[in-house]
Amino acid sequence: DIQMTQSPSSMSASLGDTVTITCLASQDIGNYLSWYQQKPGKSPKLMIYGATNLEDGVPSRFSGSRSGSDYSLTINSLGYDDEGIYHCHQYYEYPLTFGSGTKLEIK
Amino acid sequence: EVQLVESGGGLVQPGRSMKLSCAASGFTFNNYDMAWVCQAPKKGLEWVATISYDGSSTYYRDSVKGRFTISRDNAKSTLYLQMDSLRSEDTATYYCARSDGYPFFDYWGQGVMVTVSS
């Protein structure tokens, strides 16, 4: 199975900051990676697919990138609404796997 | 508006069965692959199973193979998950999710809680 190692597990940042969350794939997954945002008690929301493609309606402050087997989600100009847990997900092959999640707190 | 509404969760004893349903609306159900994803309390997301748009192909994570069955009724726009021989480690919120071409998930239901305990 493909392991997705996500870091950090939690982070705290201030309003207006830029933060980056990363996922390392245990083998090649091409660009078959998506990112989800999950608010407390809510279902996940698709933010990025194909490693770099912004889902419709997602603010352009969010962006995805890839460097080899490292995938990153960057959020610019942090706002209170960005607080939540972010999950990466590889869909290159079955079984589909997720990272362990990053809890983002806005100070 | 795309809507996915799960039902059928609750408390069940170990070794017993439970069937989850997901009623879909707002899109042409039989054009999309569908999946179940679960999340144990305070844990990360885990993919459970996927079924193709026409029901001809199914995929499962190893820990549920032979115990869980994903199915769909396209005439009723409903997705199902039959869960047999339930274990305490199956305790989780189960989400129904839609796959848009590739197996990432563009819409999710609100989730239904399944608690396996004696």
Side-chain angles (χ1 to χ4, degrees):
Chain A
D1 298 1
I2 297 174
Q3 307 301 317
M4 301 301 298
T5 303
Q6 188 171 344
S7 61
S9 57
S10 65
M11 62 191 308
S12 182
S14 300
L15 280 176
D17 280 356
T18 294
V19 298
T20 297
I21 298 166
T22 62
C23 268
L24 173 65
S26 62
Q27 65 188 74
D28 178 42
I29 61 169
N31 285 334
Y32 295 101
L33 183 109
S34 57
W35 290 96
Y36 302 87
Q37 176 194 65
Q38 187 176 26
K39 302 283 184 76
K42 300 295 187 182
S43 54
K45 174 187 175 184
L46 177 66
M47 307 299 280
I48 300 279
Y49 63 94
T52 61
N53 299 296
L54 203 63
E55 173 68 349
D56 289 346
V58 173
S60 58
R61 302 182 293 102
F62 290 82
S63 63
S65 63
R66 172 192 175 188
S67 176
S69 295
D70 283 301
Y71 298 81
S72 297
L73 173 70
T74 298
I75 313 171
N76 296 312
S77 303
L78 273 178
Y80 285 120
D81 193 48
D82 299 330
E83 200 165 73
I85 299 175
Y86 291 83
H87 309 269
C88 66
H89 162 230
Q90 70 78 19
Y91 53 97
Y92 178 77
E93 68 179 26
Y94 291 99
L96 309 178
T97 49
F98 290 85
S100 54
T102 295
K103 184 175 182 179
L104 173 61
E105 175 196 64
I106 310 300
K107 286 186 281 193
Chain B
E1 178 195 5
V2 172
Q3 284 199 318
L4 300 170
V5 180
E6 300 95 337
S7 60
L11 175 64
V12 62
Q13 292 180 328
R16 304 297 291 264
S17 299
M18 178 173 278
K19 188 171 186 176
L20 305 181
S21 299
C22 171
S25 60
F27 65 102
T28 305
F29 184 69
N30 57 16
N31 282 354
Y32 292 86
D33 294 354
M34 298 294 296
W36 291 96
V37 177
C38 73
Q39 186 171 35
K42 304 293 186 184
K43 298 293 185 183
L45 300 170
E46 277 193 343
W47 167 76
V48 176
T50 291
I51 187 167
S52 61
Y53 66 98
D54 60 356
S56 62
S57 297
T58 56
Y59 309 86
Y60 298 92
R61 66 180 295 110
D62 282 349
S63 62
V64 307
K65 277 180 189 173
R67 298 190 301 122
F68 289 11
T69 303
I70 189 172
S71 62
R72 63 192 297 160
D73 184 335
N74 284 345
K76 294 183 178 179
S77 295
T78 302
L79 176 72
Y80 302 101
L81 185 67
Q82 175 68 43
M83 302 185 292
D84 299 324
S85 303
L86 281 161
R87 305 167 180 168
S88 58
E89 55 264 38
D90 297 321
T91 294
T93 296
Y94 286 76
Y95 296 100
C96 158
R98 190 182 86 166
S99 284
D100 184 12
Y102 292 93
F104 61 87
F105 310 115
D106 61 346
Y107 285 95
W108 299 64
Q110 84 286 356
V112 62
M113 184 68 199
V114 173
T115 302
V116 184
S117 175
S118 54

